Amino acid sequence: MPHTVDLYDWPPSPFARIVTATLLASSANVTTNVKIVDLLKGEQNAESFSEVSAKRQVPALVDGDLKLIESHAIARYVANKYQDSANPIYPTDLVARAKVDEAIEVIRSDIAFDAGTIVYQRFFTPKFGRPTSEEAIVKATEALIKGLTFVENHFFKSSPSALVGTTFTLADIVFTVFLYQLTIVNYDLSPFPKVQAYFESLKTNPVIAKTHEPFLQAIASLQ
Ligand SMILES: N[C@@H](CCC(=O)N[C@@H](CS)C(=O)NCC(=O)O)C(=O)O
């Protein structure tokens, strides 16, 4: 019988979706009890939530006595403990794993922050009642173009549908989550044809599609 974990989640959060997708990819071995923390309603400020997430951020995972924050730590823990050995997303072979980790770190350092900044500044600041920084948007847009250019030229060497190797990995979860995030601001991927074709292909991956159903609904309701 699969083990059950609690996931503190808010579907518009890309960090939370990294964990949702990792859990879905591991669903042969683990089921997820989702607890929504609506950040726009300030639910992260509830005292009870600080007992789960010391930073009052989503995602947070509770697995028995273990309380864990930080999406990448949670995703790696879930994959290490629960991944489906028939369809592994986080290779156990050290060299293969290192290449997946390399891709994840490229996405984290060269894509995630700038994509997040553009979307946060353009879409979320008005909803949180905070000021928008056009300067931050310009800087992030320049950096994101550099990051996407690197990804376009450096990855997809063995398959147009995988950053690394030929199968779906944790690196693909991390990248597609941020590509979906950019759809909130209708970001144009056409200057990056390999990335664009990859994204179209990954949209049909069952784990990615299911992870993003609540995201698409939530964003539509916020428009
Ligand atoms: N480094 C963290 C970032 C998590 C994060 O920034 N979560 C945001 C939502 S995208 C959050 O919960 N913000 C609540 C707040 O700051 O009040 C991770 O990777 O999990």
Side-chain angles (χ1 to χ4, degrees):
M1 186 158 150
H3 194 84
T4 300
V5 296
D6 289 340
L7 172 65
Y8 291 77
D9 182 20
W10 189 53
S13 163
F15 304 106
R17 298 199 307 280
I18 288 170
V19 176
T20 300
T22 306
L23 283 162
L24 275 172
S26 311
S27 62
N29 300 320
V30 64
T31 55
T32 308
N33 182 20
V34 175
K35 293 171 181 278
I36 298 290
V37 181
D38 189 330
L39 302 186
L40 286 178
K41 290 186 182 153
E43 289 176 358
Q44 69 276 32
N45 299 319
E47 211 38 53
S48 56
F49 185 54
S50 71
E51 285 161 22
V52 178
S53 169
K55 287 172 89 175
R56 295 178 185 272
Q57 289 182 337
V58 292
L61 185 90
V62 178
D63 183 3
D65 290 337
L66 175 70
K67 292 175 183 165
L68 205 55
I69 56 172
E70 291 295 338
S71 56
H72 294 277
I74 302 171
R76 285 176 170 121
Y77 167 78
V78 167
N80 281 329
K81 188 163 179 192
Y82 296 116
Q83 75 173 336
D84 181 359
S85 55
N87 295 295
I89 57 167
Y90 199 38
T92 47
D93 172 78
L94 275 186
V95 171
R97 175 169 288 204
K99 294 308 284 183
V100 169
D101 279 334
E102 178 187 69
I104 291 171
E105 297 310 319
V106 168
I107 302 306
R108 288 185 64 188
S109 61
D110 299 356
I111 304 288
F113 178 77
D114 299 302
T117 298
I118 294 167
V119 173
Y120 179 73
Q121 292 293 337
R122 277 260 174 273
F123 187 78
F124 284 106
T125 50
K127 298 189 170 23
F128 281 110
R130 296 173 191 161
T132 300
S133 166
E134 290 299 331
E135 195 188 334
I137 293 172
V138 169
K139 213 171 140 196
T141 302
E142 281 172 13
L144 182 62
I145 289 169
K146 272 194 197 157
L148 286 169
T149 303
F150 181 80
V151 171
E152 176 83 7
N153 295 328
H154 187 73
F155 293 113
F156 316 114
K157 297 293 186 210
S158 304
S159 162
S161 305
L163 274 175
V164 175
T166 54
T167 58
F168 179 65
T169 69
L170 192 47
D172 297 308
I173 288 178
V174 175
F175 191 32
T176 50
V177 155
F178 286 99
L179 291 174
Y180 260 109
Q181 203 68 4
L182 285 167
T183 65
I184 297 176
V185 293
N186 297 316
Y187 189 86
D188 178 16
L189 286 176
S190 62
F192 313 100
K194 287 185 194 165
V195 173
Q196 191 173 42
Y198 162 86
F199 187 35
E200 286 312 307
S201 159
L202 267 285
K203 281 179 184 170
T204 65
N205 174 294
V207 165
I208 295 299
K210 195 157 181 212
T211 298
H212 286 86
E213 277 167 20
F215 161 80
L216 292 169
Q217 281 164 15
I219 297 304
S221 75
L222 290 173
Q223 294 287 355

